[in-house]
């Protein structure tokens, strides 16, 4: 692996999974053994080792460098011969002068796959020996040094959900009748809960308007009524149409507004300039006839559904 694919940075926090302190390092580096393995440590449900080459792994570009690798240990049970383990890992060397750790990791491919054919990953050019051997740099002090590792195993999920968008869902129309509407004043009117797309909804009507509409327009809102009670909380995307029909004649246009919204909280999605209060109370318009029963409707055009697989 070329040096330009390595990311190095320092931090004060020690490695989370394993640390290895080596004394009499110079004797180790003068031995005829090319590489040394640490003891076994466990992380992410697997057994691992550190493998270091005091004088560099020559066939991995390690000339004049210290080479360090993470190896998955043979003691792991692998009932399937095609096993693989996906890992994010970081390797460390301790700077005893600054009391910090030099962290070394892959820059271009931070996740690596360990399998039967590739049981170790690491860095031929972990640290050049000139830098490592200089005591003022802090890595080798009094012939003592320390290395470490962090290993995060990426495991397959045990759960899967399927998101689908349903057009013109069954029971996708709901009517909310509010009798004696002219007498409710500014009191907010709430419908009973109703079900569309396996979720519970509620229409809310603000006679005096809400937000920017207040005082000038009637406001209608749609609320995902069961958002707080469904566990885990599941958002819903919906396209729907607010309707206030002309009660004098279905052939005469009423007030309508199409809304697209992603419901990811218990907050309501309100209409905007749906019907002016002047038109609402003008009996010639047909929205509020002499019976004073206001009809508010919602028609679902599209609704998302999430199902566990």
């Amino acid at each position: 692996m070329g040096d330009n694919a390595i990311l190095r940075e320092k931090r004060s926090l020690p490695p989370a999974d394993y640390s290895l302190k080596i004394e009499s390092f110079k004797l180790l580096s003068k031995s005829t053994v090319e590489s040394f393995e640490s003891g076994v440590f466990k992380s992410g449900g697997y057994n691992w080792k550190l493998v270091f080459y005091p004088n560099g792994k020559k066939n991995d570009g390690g000339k004049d460098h210290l080479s360090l690798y993470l190896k998955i240990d043979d003691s792991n049970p692998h009932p399937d011969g095609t096993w693989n383990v996906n890992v994010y890992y970081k390797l460390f060397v301790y700077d005893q002068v600054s009391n910090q750790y030099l962290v070394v990791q892959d820059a271009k491919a931070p996740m690596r796959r360990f399998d039967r054919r590739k049981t170790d990953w690491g860095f031929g050019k972990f640290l050049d020996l000139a830098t490592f051997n200089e005591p003022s740099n802090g890595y080798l002090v009094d012939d003592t040094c320390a290395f470490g590792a962090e290993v995060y195993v990426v495991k397959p999920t045990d759960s899967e959900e399927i998101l689908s968008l349903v057009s013109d869902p069954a029971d996708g129309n709901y009517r909310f009748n509010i009798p004696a509407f002219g007498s409710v004043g500014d009191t907010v009117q709430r419908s009973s809960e109703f079900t569309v797309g396996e979720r519970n909804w509620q229409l809310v009507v603000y006679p005096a308007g809400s937000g920017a509409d207040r005082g000038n327009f009637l406001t209608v809102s749609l609320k995902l009524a069961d958002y707080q009670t469904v566990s885990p909380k599941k958002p819903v995307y919906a396209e729907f149409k607010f309707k206030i029909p002309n009660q004098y004649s279905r052939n005469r246009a009423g007030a309508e507004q199409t809304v697209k919204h992603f419901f990811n909280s218990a907050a309501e999605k309100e209409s905007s300039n749906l019907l002016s209060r002047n038109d609402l109370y003008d009996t010639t318009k047909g929205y509020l006839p002499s019976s004073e029963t206001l009809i508010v409707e919602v028609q679902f055009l599209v609704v998302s559904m999430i199902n566990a697989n």
Side-chain angles (χ1 to χ4, degrees):
M1 176 180 300
D3 192 54
N4 60 353
I6 298 176
L7 177 64
R8 295 181 174 88
E9 58 184 0
K10 284 195 174 183
R11 78 180 200 192
S12 58
L13 193 68
D17 293 312
Y18 181 70
S19 293
L20 172 67
K21 185 177 181 180
I22 300 176
E23 298 176 342
S24 303
F25 183 83
K26 290 182 180 178
L27 286 177
L28 196 66
S29 65
K30 292 178 181 179
S31 71
T32 58
V33 179
E34 183 184 13
S35 65
F36 295 84
E37 293 187 355
S38 74
V40 174
F41 66 95
K42 186 177 288 291
S43 181
Y46 292 89
N47 296 328
W48 306 89
K49 288 182 178 180
L50 283 182
V51 182
F52 61 97
Y53 294 72
N55 296 300
K57 187 177 181 181
K58 305 302 188 294
N59 62 359
D60 194 23
K63 182 181 178 181
D64 299 325
H65 283 76
L66 177 75
S67 303
L68 187 63
Y69 299 85
L70 175 69
K71 179 180 180 180
I72 190 164
D73 190 59
D74 295 337
S75 62
N76 289 290
H78 297 301
D80 184 354
T82 61
W83 64 271
N84 62 78
V85 182
N86 296 307
V87 170
Y88 290 98
Y89 73 98
K90 298 177 181 179
L91 301 181
F92 297 73
V93 60
Y94 181 45
D95 180 349
Q96 302 170 62
V97 173
S98 66
N99 194 27
Q100 289 186 311
Y101 293 84
L102 177 66
V103 186
V104 182
Q105 59 186 314
D106 288 326
K108 294 184 178 180
M111 187 174 73
R112 292 296 189 180
R113 172 170 292 187
F114 292 75
D115 55 30
R116 179 172 51 86
R117 292 171 296 181
K118 180 67 174 175
T119 59
D120 64 347
W121 285 98
F123 309 98
K125 295 182 177 180
F126 179 78
L127 189 63
D128 69 86
L129 287 173
T131 300
F132 177 76
N133 289 322
E134 172 53 52
S136 63
N137 291 325
Y139 301 117
L140 185 63
V141 178
D142 296 329
D143 207 18
T144 299
C145 55
F147 301 94
E150 284 183 354
V151 183
Y152 177 74
V153 177
V154 181
K155 296 182 178 181
T157 178
D158 293 328
S159 62
E160 181 182 53
E161 291 184 331
I162 299 175
L163 171 66
S164 58
L165 296 178
V166 179
S167 298
D168 300 321
D171 302 320
N173 294 282
Y174 181 79
R175 171 178 285 191
F176 181 25
N177 293 332
I178 308 174
F181 184 81
S183 303
V184 301
D186 293 349
T187 304
V188 177
Q189 306 295 302
R190 300 180 184 275
S191 74
S192 300
E193 292 186 13
F194 57 96
T195 302
V196 176
E198 300 181 351
R199 299 299 295 271
N200 293 339
W201 305 84
Q202 185 180 50
L203 278 176
V204 184
V205 177
Y206 296 83
S210 175
D213 283 359
R214 185 166 182 80
N216 297 310
F217 292 87
L218 176 79
T219 298
V220 178
S221 72
L222 181 65
K223 179 179 181 179
L224 183 58
D226 63 6
Y227 183 80
Q228 297 290 3
T229 57
V230 171
S231 181
K233 291 181 172 60
K234 296 181 179 180
V236 179
Y237 172 78
E239 297 179 16
F240 52 94
K241 186 179 293 186
F242 290 126
K243 297 180 179 182
I244 302 177
N246 187 309
Q247 298 185 53
Y248 287 160
S249 171
R250 280 287 180 174
N251 295 324
R252 295 177 62 182
E256 295 186 355
Q257 186 170 95
T258 300
V259 181
K260 301 177 181 180
H261 187 64
F262 185 67
F263 291 86
N264 59 353
S265 72
E268 304 166 12
K269 179 56 180 176
E270 298 179 345
S271 62
S272 176
N273 300 349
L274 173 63
L275 178 63
S276 71
R277 284 165 53 84
N278 289 335
D279 286 347
L280 171 64
Y281 291 106
D282 185 343
T283 57
T284 66
K285 302 290 186 179
Y287 298 111
L288 195 62
S290 57
S291 65
E292 290 198 337
T293 295
L294 179 68
I295 299 174
V296 179
E297 298 174 339
V298 62
Q299 176 188 359
F300 282 80
L301 307 175
V302 176
V303 64
S304 68
M305 298 178 66
I306 298 179
N307 297 305
N309 191 10

